[in-house]
C-alpha cells in the first residue's frame, strides 16, 4: 500500500493517505485505552516494535508486554497523534505522550515527550515493523524532575 502511493493518481493517493490517517487515529486510541492487546492488534502476527536502541519486541505477545510497560508506568497516559506521513517506503507516525509516572515504583512526575515511529506496513495492512524513537535523555530527566520543572529549568 505505502510503496504504491507514489505511483497512483493524486485522488487515489489522497484516499490511501486518508486510510493511513484513520489507521493512525485508531492506533492512537489503542495506546490510550489501557488495553495493551489493542495496541498489539495493529501489528502482523510476526510484527516487531523496536523502541530506541532496545531489542525489538517480536510477535503480538511481546508487543503487548512492551505496551503494557508504558501503560503500567503511566496509568493516566494519553497519546496524541501529531501526524502520519509517507516518506519513501515507510509511514511516519508522529506522537506526543503525556502522563504522570504513578505506576508501581513510579516517581509521580509528569512527563510530556514527543516521538515518532517508522512503520513498514505488510501486505495484510498491519504493521510489519515499527521503529520507535524519542529523546530518552529528556524522558529520563522528566521522570526525575517532571515536565513543568524541566520546562522552567530550560527556559521554556
Amino acid at each position: 500500500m505505502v510503496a504504491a502511493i507514489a505511483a497512483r493518481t493524486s485522488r487515489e493517493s489522497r484516499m490511501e493517505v486518508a486510510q493511513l490517517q484513520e489507521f493512525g487515529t485508531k492506533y492512537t486510541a489503542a495506546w490510550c485505552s489501557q488495553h495493551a492487546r489493542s495496541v498489539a492488534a495493529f501489528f502482523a502476527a510476526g510484527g516487531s516494535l523496536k523502541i530506541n536502541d532496545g531489542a525489538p519486541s517480536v510477535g503480538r505477545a511481546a508487543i503487548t508486554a512492551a505496551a503494557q510497560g508504558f501503560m503500567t508506568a503511566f496509568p493516566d497516559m494519553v497519546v496524541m497523534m501529531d501526524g502520519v506521513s509517507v516518506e519513501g517506503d515507510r509511514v511516519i507516525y508522529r506522537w506526543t505522550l503525556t502522563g504522570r509516572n504513578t505506576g508501581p515504583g513510579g516517581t509521580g512526575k509528569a512527563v510530556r515527550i514527543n516521538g515518532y515511529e517508522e512503520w513498514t506496513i505488510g501486505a495484510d495492512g498491519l504493521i510489519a515493523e515499527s521503529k520507535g524513537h524519542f529523546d530518552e535523555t529528556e524522558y529520563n530527566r522528566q521522570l526525575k524532575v517532571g515536565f513543568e520543572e524541566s520546562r522552567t529549568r530550560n527556559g521554556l
Side-chain angles (χ1 to χ4, degrees):
M1 171 174 78
V2 175
I5 288 176
R8 306 258 181 154
T9 67
S10 62
R11 182 172 179 222
E12 289 171 322
S13 293
R14 281 193 306 270
M15 286 176 52
E16 288 175 340
V17 169
Q19 290 172 334
L20 288 172
Q21 289 282 356
E22 182 179 344
F23 185 87
T25 298
K26 290 178 180 178
Y27 181 72
T28 302
W31 273 101
C32 294
S33 73
Q34 286 293 319
H35 297 287
R37 284 187 187 164
S38 296
V39 173
F42 284 84
F43 287 79
S48 67
L49 169 64
K50 182 175 180 182
I51 302 170
N52 286 339
D53 293 326
S57 299
V58 180
R60 289 189 181 134
I63 293 166
T64 297
Q68 187 62 58
F70 282 96
M71 292 174 179
T72 299
F74 299 97
D76 65 343
M77 179 174 70
V78 173
V79 175
M80 295 169 281
M81 180 174 73
D82 298 328
V84 177
S85 60
V86 178
E87 296 180 15
D89 63 347
R90 302 247 174 190
V91 175
I92 306 299
Y93 167 77
R94 298 183 197 298
W95 51 264
T96 299
L97 178 151
T98 58
R100 189 168 294 277
N101 183 224
T102 57
T107 63
K109 299 297 184 179
V111 169
R112 179 182 172 98
I113 197 82
N114 303 87
Y116 66 97
E117 293 179 37
E118 299 174 68
W119 292 341
T120 299
I121 305 294
D124 58 3
L126 297 173
I127 301 168
E129 178 184 49
S130 175
K131 294 179 181 176
H133 309 275
F134 65 90
D135 184 337
E136 206 160 348
T137 301
E138 179 60 19
Y139 172 76
N140 288 326
R141 179 182 4 266
Q142 289 182 28
L143 284 175
K144 291 178 185 171
V145 301
F147 170 67
E148 289 302 323
E149 293 173 39
S150 180
R151 283 180 48 143
T152 303
R153 240 183 232 170
N154 292 322
L156 302 174

mmCIF file of all heavy atoms in Angstrom, residues 46-95:
data_model
loop_
_atom_site.group_PDB
_atom_site.id
_atom_site.type_symbol
_atom_site.label_atom_id
_atom_site.label_comp_id
_atom_site.label_asym_id
_atom_site.label_seq_id
_atom_site.Cartn_x
_atom_site.Cartn_y
_atom_site.Cartn_z
ATOM 1 N N GLY A 46 3.696 -11.728 13.243
ATOM 2 C CA GLY A 46 5.146 -11.768 13.470
ATOM 3 C C GLY A 46 5.773 -10.390 13.438
ATOM 4 O O GLY A 46 6.987 -10.270 13.258
ATOM 5 N N GLY A 47 4.956 -9.362 13.609
ATOM 6 C CA GLY A 47 5.442 -7.990 13.548
ATOM 7 C C GLY A 47 6.384 -7.658 14.693
ATOM 8 O O GLY A 47 6.496 -8.405 15.664
ATOM 9 N N SER A 48 7.070 -6.523 14.556
ATOM 10 C CA SER A 48 8.014 -6.133 15.600
ATOM 11 C C SER A 48 7.887 -4.654 15.930
ATOM 12 O O SER A 48 7.523 -3.832 15.088
ATOM 13 C CB SER A 48 9.452 -6.440 15.172
ATOM 14 O OG SER A 48 9.838 -5.615 14.086
ATOM 15 N N LEU A 49 8.184 -4.353 17.186
ATOM 16 C CA LEU A 49 8.212 -2.988 17.701
ATOM 17 C C LEU A 49 9.553 -2.795 18.394
ATOM 18 O O LEU A 49 9.871 -3.512 19.354
ATOM 19 C CB LEU A 49 7.073 -2.761 18.699
ATOM 20 C CG LEU A 49 7.113 -1.466 19.519
ATOM 21 C CD1 LEU A 49 6.981 -0.247 18.610
ATOM 22 C CD2 LEU A 49 6.001 -1.475 20.568
ATOM 23 N N LYS A 50 10.340 -1.861 17.882
ATOM 24 C CA LYS A 50 11.619 -1.543 18.488
ATOM 25 C C LYS A 50 11.533 -0.130 19.035
ATOM 26 O O LYS A 50 11.111 0.787 18.331
ATOM 27 C CB LYS A 50 12.752 -1.647 17.464
ATOM 28 C CG LYS A 50 14.111 -1.375 18.054
ATOM 29 C CD LYS A 50 15.214 -1.598 17.047
ATOM 30 C CE LYS A 50 16.542 -1.296 17.728
ATOM 31 N NZ LYS A 50 17.659 -1.439 16.833
ATOM 32 N N ILE A 51 11.917 0.056 20.287
ATOM 33 C CA ILE A 51 11.861 1.368 20.925
ATOM 34 C C ILE A 51 13.299 1.843 21.158
ATOM 35 O O ILE A 51 14.051 1.215 21.907
ATOM 36 C CB ILE A 51 11.065 1.312 22.241
ATOM 37 C CG1 ILE A 51 9.650 0.799 21.965
ATOM 38 C CG2 ILE A 51 11.050 2.679 22.907
ATOM 39 C CD1 ILE A 51 8.842 0.470 23.208
ATOM 40 N N ASN A 52 13.640 2.943 20.489
ATOM 41 C CA ASN A 52 15.000 3.488 20.529
ATOM 42 C C ASN A 52 16.014 2.394 20.236
ATOM 43 O O ASN A 52 15.869 1.685 19.256
ATOM 44 C CB ASN A 52 15.258 4.235 21.832
ATOM 45 C CG ASN A 52 14.548 5.581 21.866
ATOM 46 O OD1 ASN A 52 14.195 6.145 20.844
ATOM 47 N ND2 ASN A 52 14.326 6.095 23.056
ATOM 48 N N ASP A 53 17.017 2.229 21.096
ATOM 49 C CA ASP A 53 18.064 1.241 20.841
ATOM 50 C C ASP A 53 17.808 -0.095 21.537
ATOM 51 O O ASP A 53 18.701 -0.941 21.598
ATOM 52 C CB ASP A 53 19.426 1.793 21.283
ATOM 53 C CG ASP A 53 19.860 2.967 20.417
ATOM 54 O OD1 ASP A 53 19.544 2.970 19.212
ATOM 55 O OD2 ASP A 53 20.501 3.891 20.953
ATOM 56 N N GLY A 54 16.588 -0.278 22.035
ATOM 57 C CA GLY A 54 16.249 -1.521 22.716
ATOM 58 C C GLY A 54 16.097 -2.676 21.745
ATOM 59 O O GLY A 54 16.032 -2.501 20.526
ATOM 60 N N ALA A 55 16.040 -3.870 22.296
ATOM 61 C CA ALA A 55 15.805 -5.058 21.475
ATOM 62 C C ALA A 55 14.377 -5.021 20.950
ATOM 63 O O ALA A 55 13.469 -4.588 21.662
ATOM 64 C CB ALA A 55 16.030 -6.323 22.304
ATOM 65 N N PRO A 56 14.160 -5.463 19.729
ATOM 66 C CA PRO A 56 12.795 -5.466 19.195
ATOM 67 C C PRO A 56 11.904 -6.438 19.960
ATOM 68 O O PRO A 56 12.343 -7.510 20.374
ATOM 69 C CB PRO A 56 12.967 -5.929 17.751
ATOM 70 C CG PRO A 56 14.421 -5.972 17.465
ATOM 71 C CD PRO A 56 15.144 -5.924 18.769
ATOM 72 N N SER A 57 10.664 -6.031 20.151
ATOM 73 C CA SER A 57 9.622 -6.918 20.677
ATOM 74 C C SER A 57 8.987 -7.550 19.449
ATOM 75 O O SER A 57 8.394 -6.850 18.618
ATOM 76 C CB SER A 57 8.579 -6.116 21.463
ATOM 77 O OG SER A 57 9.180 -5.476 22.560
ATOM 78 N N VAL A 58 9.125 -8.861 19.305
ATOM 79 C CA VAL A 58 8.666 -9.550 18.105
ATOM 80 C C VAL A 58 7.470 -10.428 18.453
ATOM 81 O O VAL A 58 7.520 -11.226 19.388
ATOM 82 C CB VAL A 58 9.793 -10.406 17.488
ATOM 83 C CG1 VAL A 58 9.300 -11.135 16.236
ATOM 84 C CG2 VAL A 58 11.000 -9.530 17.153
ATOM 85 N N GLY A 59 6.411 -10.262 17.689
ATOM 86 C CA GLY A 59 5.180 -11.016 17.909
ATOM 87 C C GLY A 59 4.233 -10.240 18.812
ATOM 88 O O GLY A 59 4.646 -9.359 19.578
ATOM 89 N N ARG A 60 2.965 -10.564 18.706
ATOM 90 C CA ARG A 60 1.946 -9.798 19.443
ATOM 91 C C ARG A 60 2.080 -9.916 20.960
ATOM 92 O O ARG A 60 1.822 -8.947 21.672
ATOM 93 C CB ARG A 60 0.556 -10.211 18.984
ATOM 94 C CG ARG A 60 0.263 -9.723 17.575
ATOM 95 C CD ARG A 60 -1.178 -9.946 17.191
ATOM 96 N NE ARG A 60 -1.383 -9.487 15.824
ATOM 97 C CZ ARG A 60 -2.038 -10.177 14.911
ATOM 98 N NH1 ARG A 60 -2.565 -11.354 15.203
ATOM 99 N NH2 ARG A 60 -2.178 -9.688 13.699
ATOM 100 N N ALA A 61 2.494 -11.064 21.460
ATOM 101 C CA ALA A 61 2.649 -11.199 22.919
ATOM 102 C C ALA A 61 3.741 -10.266 23.426
ATOM 103 O O ALA A 61 3.574 -9.588 24.449
ATOM 104 C CB ALA A 61 2.961 -12.652 23.295
ATOM 105 N N ALA A 62 4.859 -10.190 22.726
ATOM 106 C CA ALA A 62 5.960 -9.315 23.136
ATOM 107 C C ALA A 62 5.575 -7.847 22.975
ATOM 108 O O ALA A 62 5.927 -7.006 23.812
ATOM 109 C CB ALA A 62 7.217 -9.639 22.327
ATOM 110 N N ILE A 63 4.847 -7.523 21.919
ATOM 111 C CA ILE A 63 4.397 -6.143 21.712
ATOM 112 C C ILE A 63 3.392 -5.757 22.794
ATOM 113 O O ILE A 63 3.435 -4.641 23.319
ATOM 114 C CB ILE A 63 3.822 -5.971 20.292
ATOM 115 C CG1 ILE A 63 4.961 -6.122 19.272
ATOM 116 C CG2 ILE A 63 3.106 -4.624 20.146
ATOM 117 C CD1 ILE A 63 4.505 -6.311 17.843
ATOM 118 N N THR A 64 2.521 -6.690 23.162
ATOM 119 C CA THR A 64 1.582 -6.448 24.264
ATOM 120 C C THR A 64 2.348 -6.117 25.539
ATOM 121 O O THR A 64 2.010 -5.165 26.250
ATOM 122 C CB THR A 64 0.669 -7.673 24.483
ATOM 123 O OG1 THR A 64 -0.117 -7.879 23.298
ATOM 124 C CG2 THR A 64 -0.256 -7.488 25.675
ATOM 125 N N ALA A 65 3.395 -6.880 25.824
ATOM 126 C CA ALA A 65 4.197 -6.642 27.032
ATOM 127 C C ALA A 65 4.875 -5.274 26.991
ATOM 128 O O ALA A 65 4.913 -4.559 28.002
ATOM 129 C CB ALA A 65 5.233 -7.755 27.201
ATOM 130 N N ALA A 66 5.399 -4.880 25.838
ATOM 131 C CA ALA A 66 6.055 -3.572 25.719
ATOM 132 C C ALA A 66 5.049 -2.442 25.945
ATOM 133 O O ALA A 66 5.330 -1.482 26.684
ATOM 134 C CB ALA A 66 6.712 -3.432 24.355
ATOM 135 N N ALA A 67 3.892 -2.551 25.329
ATOM 136 C CA ALA A 67 2.850 -1.526 25.500
ATOM 137 C C ALA A 67 2.379 -1.494 26.953
ATOM 138 O O ALA A 67 2.176 -0.417 27.530
ATOM 139 C CB ALA A 67 1.686 -1.796 24.561
ATOM 140 N N GLN A 68 2.234 -2.675 27.560
ATOM 141 C CA GLN A 68 1.776 -2.736 28.948
ATOM 142 C C GLN A 68 2.759 -2.055 29.884
ATOM 143 O O GLN A 68 2.357 -1.439 30.875
ATOM 144 C CB GLN A 68 1.560 -4.195 29.382
ATOM 145 C CG GLN A 68 0.919 -4.322 30.746
ATOM 146 C CD GLN A 68 -0.463 -3.696 30.780
ATOM 147 O OE1 GLN A 68 -1.342 -4.081 30.002
ATOM 148 N NE2 GLN A 68 -0.679 -2.730 31.665
ATOM 149 N N GLY A 69 4.044 -2.128 29.570
ATOM 150 C CA GLY A 69 5.043 -1.453 30.392
ATOM 151 C C GLY A 69 4.770 0.042 30.495
ATOM 152 O O GLY A 69 4.811 0.625 31.585
ATOM 153 N N PHE A 70 4.469 0.681 29.373
ATOM 154 C CA PHE A 70 4.140 2.115 29.390
ATOM 155 C C PHE A 70 2.812 2.360 30.090
ATOM 156 O O PHE A 70 2.670 3.313 30.864
ATOM 157 C CB PHE A 70 4.104 2.677 27.963
ATOM 158 C CG PHE A 70 5.463 2.936 27.393
ATOM 159 C CD1 PHE A 70 6.076 1.999 26.577
ATOM 160 C CD2 PHE A 70 6.135 4.114 27.671
ATOM 161 C CE1 PHE A 70 7.334 2.226 26.048
ATOM 162 C CE2 PHE A 70 7.400 4.361 27.141
ATOM 163 C CZ PHE A 70 7.994 3.409 26.335
ATOM 164 N N MET A 71 1.834 1.506 29.833
ATOM 165 C CA MET A 71 0.508 1.688 30.427
ATOM 166 C C MET A 71 0.542 1.516 31.941
ATOM 167 O O MET A 71 -0.186 2.202 32.662
ATOM 168 C CB MET A 71 -0.487 0.718 29.787
ATOM 169 C CG MET A 71 -0.762 1.043 28.340
ATOM 170 S SD MET A 71 -1.799 -0.216 27.568
ATOM 171 C CE MET A 71 -1.974 0.466 25.911
ATOM 172 N N THR A 72 1.380 0.625 32.426
ATOM 173 C CA THR A 72 1.521 0.427 33.868
ATOM 174 C C THR A 72 2.255 1.603 34.504
ATOM 175 O O THR A 72 1.861 2.093 35.559
ATOM 176 C CB THR A 72 2.270 -0.893 34.151
ATOM 177 O OG1 THR A 72 1.504 -1.977 33.605
ATOM 178 C CG2 THR A 72 2.479 -1.111 35.638
ATOM 179 N N ALA A 73 3.294 2.066 33.856
ATOM 180 C CA ALA A 73 4.070 3.198 34.382
ATOM 181 C C ALA A 73 3.261 4.487 34.388
ATOM 182 O O ALA A 73 3.442 5.340 35.262
ATOM 183 C CB ALA A 73 5.347 3.387 33.557
ATOM 184 N N PHE A 74 2.353 4.630 33.417
ATOM 185 C CA PHE A 74 1.551 5.844 33.251
ATOM 186 C C PHE A 74 0.066 5.472 33.165
ATOM 187 O O PHE A 74 -0.504 5.438 32.067
ATOM 188 C CB PHE A 74 1.975 6.602 31.988
ATOM 189 C CG PHE A 74 3.403 7.046 32.012
ATOM 190 C CD1 PHE A 74 4.385 6.294 31.400
ATOM 191 C CD2 PHE A 74 3.765 8.221 32.650
ATOM 192 C CE1 PHE A 74 5.717 6.694 31.416
ATOM 193 C CE2 PHE A 74 5.094 8.636 32.682
ATOM 194 C CZ PHE A 74 6.067 7.867 32.069
ATOM 195 N N PRO A 75 -0.584 5.208 34.314
ATOM 196 C CA PRO A 75 -1.988 4.805 34.278
ATOM 197 C C PRO A 75 -2.911 5.854 33.653
ATOM 198 O O PRO A 75 -3.990 5.513 33.170
ATOM 199 C CB PRO A 75 -2.335 4.590 35.751
ATOM 200 C CG PRO A 75 -1.032 4.385 36.443
ATOM 201 C CD PRO A 75 -0.026 5.168 35.660
ATOM 202 N N ASP A 76 -2.485 7.117 33.634
ATOM 203 C CA ASP A 76 -3.291 8.184 33.031
ATOM 204 C C ASP A 76 -2.754 8.593 31.657
ATOM 205 O O ASP A 76 -3.087 9.667 31.144
ATOM 206 C CB ASP A 76 -3.324 9.402 33.949
ATOM 207 C CG ASP A 76 -1.950 10.056 34.131
ATOM 208 O OD1 ASP A 76 -0.925 9.401 33.824
ATOM 209 O OD2 ASP A 76 -1.904 11.203 34.589
ATOM 210 N N MET A 77 -1.973 7.745 31.048
ATOM 211 C CA MET A 77 -1.292 8.066 29.792
ATOM 212 C C MET A 77 -2.276 8.480 28.702
ATOM 213 O O MET A 77 -3.309 7.846 28.499
ATOM 214 C CB MET A 77 -0.503 6.851 29.306
ATOM 215 C CG MET A 77 0.225 7.063 27.996
ATOM 216 S SD MET A 77 1.277 5.667 27.531
ATOM 217 C CE MET A 77 0.068 4.426 27.114
ATOM 218 N N VAL A 78 -1.909 9.553 28.011
ATOM 219 C CA VAL A 78 -2.633 9.994 26.828
ATOM 220 C C VAL A 78 -1.610 10.102 25.706
ATOM 221 O O VAL A 78 -0.559 10.733 25.878
ATOM 222 C CB VAL A 78 -3.323 11.359 27.053
ATOM 223 C CG1 VAL A 78 -3.934 11.881 25.761
ATOM 224 C CG2 VAL A 78 -4.378 11.249 28.150
ATOM 225 N N VAL A 79 -1.915 9.490 24.587
ATOM 226 C CA VAL A 79 -1.082 9.615 23.399
ATOM 227 C C VAL A 79 -1.888 10.410 22.381
ATOM 228 O O VAL A 79 -3.063 10.124 22.152
ATOM 229 C CB VAL A 79 -0.683 8.240 22.823
ATOM 230 C CG1 VAL A 79 0.078 8.394 21.516
ATOM 231 C CG2 VAL A 79 0.146 7.458 23.829
ATOM 232 N N MET A 80 -1.270 11.424 21.825
ATOM 233 C CA MET A 80 -1.902 12.229 20.779
ATOM 234 C C MET A 80 -1.146 12.005 19.480
ATOM 235 O O MET A 80 0.087 11.976 19.478
ATOM 236 C CB MET A 80 -1.854 13.715 21.149
ATOM 237 C CG MET A 80 -2.668 14.031 22.394
ATOM 238 S SD MET A 80 -2.361 15.695 23.010
ATOM 239 C CE MET A 80 -0.796 15.442 23.855
ATOM 240 N N MET A 81 -1.890 11.831 18.409
ATOM 241 C CA MET A 81 -1.266 11.693 17.101
ATOM 242 C C MET A 81 -0.965 13.094 16.584
ATOM 243 O O MET A 81 -1.859 13.920 16.447
ATOM 244 C CB MET A 81 -2.192 10.958 16.130
ATOM 245 C CG MET A 81 -1.584 10.793 14.750
ATOM 246 S SD MET A 81 -2.582 9.787 13.623
ATOM 247 C CE MET A 81 -3.934 10.904 13.269
ATOM 248 N N ASP A 82 0.298 13.345 16.295
ATOM 249 C CA ASP A 82 0.704 14.634 15.748
ATOM 250 C C ASP A 82 0.686 14.621 14.225
ATOM 251 O O ASP A 82 0.706 15.679 13.601
ATOM 252 C CB ASP A 82 2.098 15.006 16.251
ATOM 253 C CG ASP A 82 2.136 15.154 17.771
ATOM 254 O OD1 ASP A 82 1.117 15.557 18.359
ATOM 255 O OD2 ASP A 82 3.183 14.849 18.363
ATOM 256 N N GLY A 83 0.652 13.440 13.630
ATOM 257 C CA GLY A 83 0.573 13.343 12.175
ATOM 258 C C GLY A 83 1.023 11.993 11.672
ATOM 259 O O GLY A 83 1.703 11.247 12.365
ATOM 260 N N VAL A 84 0.600 11.695 10.464
ATOM 261 C CA VAL A 84 1.020 10.491 9.748
ATOM 262 C C VAL A 84 1.410 10.937 8.353
ATOM 263 O O VAL A 84 0.674 11.687 7.708
ATOM 264 C CB VAL A 84 -0.115 9.444 9.665
ATOM 265 C CG1 VAL A 84 0.323 8.233 8.863
ATOM 266 C CG2 VAL A 84 -0.569 9.004 11.040
ATOM 267 N N SER A 85 2.577 10.503 7.890
ATOM 268 C CA SER A 85 3.014 10.874 6.549
ATOM 269 C C SER A 85 3.733 9.693 5.909
ATOM 270 O O SER A 85 4.134 8.752 6.588
ATOM 271 C CB SER A 85 3.935 12.094 6.601
ATOM 272 O OG SER A 85 5.081 11.815 7.382
ATOM 273 N N VAL A 86 3.862 9.767 4.603
ATOM 274 C CA VAL A 86 4.583 8.746 3.853
ATOM 275 C C VAL A 86 5.911 9.342 3.428
ATOM 276 O O VAL A 86 5.956 10.432 2.857
ATOM 277 C CB VAL A 86 3.774 8.291 2.625
ATOM 278 C CG1 VAL A 86 4.560 7.263 1.825
ATOM 279 C CG2 VAL A 86 2.429 7.729 3.045
ATOM 280 N N GLU A 87 6.988 8.651 3.765
ATOM 281 C CA GLU A 87 8.330 9.078 3.380
ATOM 282 C C GLU A 87 9.035 7.871 2.777
ATOM 283 O O GLU A 87 9.407 6.956 3.499
ATOM 284 C CB GLU A 87 9.087 9.635 4.587
ATOM 285 C CG GLU A 87 8.424 10.896 5.145
ATOM 286 C CD GLU A 87 9.138 11.488 6.344
ATOM 287 O OE1 GLU A 87 10.309 11.111 6.589
ATOM 288 O OE2 GLU A 87 8.518 12.322 7.020
ATOM 289 N N GLY A 88 9.151 7.885 1.483
ATOM 290 C CA GLY A 88 9.741 6.741 0.796
ATOM 291 C C GLY A 88 8.829 5.543 0.921
ATOM 292 O O GLY A 88 7.643 5.631 0.640
ATOM 293 N N ASP A 89 9.376 4.428 1.393
ATOM 294 C CA ASP A 89 8.570 3.216 1.541
ATOM 295 C C ASP A 89 8.114 3.006 2.978
ATOM 296 O O ASP A 89 7.673 1.926 3.344
ATOM 297 C CB ASP A 89 9.342 1.992 1.032
ATOM 298 C CG ASP A 89 10.607 1.722 1.828
ATOM 299 O OD1 ASP A 89 11.029 2.610 2.612
ATOM 300 O OD2 ASP A 89 11.191 0.639 1.672
ATOM 301 N N ARG A 90 8.214 4.048 3.789
ATOM 302 C CA ARG A 90 7.823 3.976 5.202
ATOM 303 C C ARG A 90 6.701 4.956 5.500
ATOM 304 O O ARG A 90 6.570 5.977 4.849
ATOM 305 C CB ARG A 90 9.004 4.327 6.100
ATOM 306 C CG ARG A 90 10.193 3.454 5.912
ATOM 307 C CD ARG A 90 10.426 2.658 7.109
ATOM 308 N NE ARG A 90 11.503 1.714 6.869
ATOM 309 C CZ ARG A 90 11.783 0.761 7.695
ATOM 310 N NH1 ARG A 90 11.104 0.626 8.798
ATOM 311 N NH2 ARG A 90 12.753 -0.070 7.454
ATOM 312 N N VAL A 91 5.953 4.618 6.521
ATOM 313 C CA VAL A 91 4.963 5.532 7.070
ATOM 314 C C VAL A 91 5.562 6.081 8.354
ATOM 315 O O VAL A 91 6.117 5.325 9.160
ATOM 316 C CB VAL A 91 3.634 4.800 7.375
ATOM 317 C CG1 VAL A 91 2.652 5.728 8.059
ATOM 318 C CG2 VAL A 91 3.034 4.227 6.100
ATOM 319 N N ILE A 92 5.467 7.379 8.547
ATOM 320 C CA ILE A 92 5.974 8.011 9.761
ATOM 321 C C ILE A 92 4.771 8.449 10.584
ATOM 322 O O ILE A 92 3.950 9.239 10.127
ATOM 323 C CB ILE A 92 6.877 9.228 9.449
ATOM 324 C CG1 ILE A 92 8.008 8.843 8.489
ATOM 325 C CG2 ILE A 92 7.413 9.839 10.746
ATOM 326 C CD1 ILE A 92 8.962 7.786 9.011
ATOM 327 N N TYR A 93 4.672 7.904 11.773
ATOM 328 C CA TYR A 93 3.601 8.216 12.722
ATOM 329 C C TYR A 93 4.228 9.047 13.840
ATOM 330 O O TYR A 93 5.108 8.579 14.548
ATOM 331 C CB TYR A 93 3.020 6.906 13.266
ATOM 332 C CG TYR A 93 2.122 7.055 14.465
ATOM 333 C CD1 TYR A 93 0.819 7.509 14.333
ATOM 334 C CD2 TYR A 93 2.578 6.732 15.740
ATOM 335 C CE1 TYR A 93 -0.010 7.645 15.441
ATOM 336 C CE2 TYR A 93 1.755 6.857 16.855
ATOM 337 C CZ TYR A 93 0.469 7.313 16.697
ATOM 338 O OH TYR A 93 -0.351 7.439 17.795
ATOM 339 N N ARG A 94 3.809 10.301 13.961
ATOM 340 C CA ARG A 94 4.345 11.210 14.983
ATOM 341 C C ARG A 94 3.351 11.320 16.134
ATOM 342 O O ARG A 94 2.152 11.420 15.905
ATOM 343 C CB ARG A 94 4.612 12.584 14.378
ATOM 344 C CG ARG A 94 5.643 12.547 13.283
ATOM 345 C CD ARG A 94 5.966 13.923 12.718
ATOM 346 N NE ARG A 94 6.640 13.882 11.444
ATOM 347 C CZ ARG A 94 7.807 13.352 11.177
ATOM 348 N NH1 ARG A 94 8.489 12.771 12.130
ATOM 349 N NH2 ARG A 94 8.333 13.372 9.968
ATOM 350 N N TRP A 95 3.903 11.330 17.361
ATOM 351 C CA TRP A 95 3.046 11.299 18.536
ATOM 352 C C TRP A 95 3.597 12.157 19.665
ATOM 353 O O TRP A 95 4.771 12.504 19.683
ATOM 354 C CB TRP A 95 2.856 9.861 19.020
ATOM 355 C CG TRP A 95 4.152 9.110 19.207
ATOM 356 C CD1 TRP A 95 4.747 8.276 18.315
ATOM 357 C CD2 TRP A 95 5.026 9.151 20.354
ATOM 358 N NE1 TRP A 95 5.937 7.790 18.834
ATOM 359 C CE2 TRP A 95 6.134 8.309 20.090
ATOM 360 C CE3 TRP A 95 4.990 9.802 21.581
ATOM 361 C CZ2 TRP A 95 7.166 8.112 20.994
ATOM 362 C CZ3 TRP A 95 6.032 9.616 22.483
ATOM 363 C CH2 TRP A 95 7.096 8.761 22.174
#
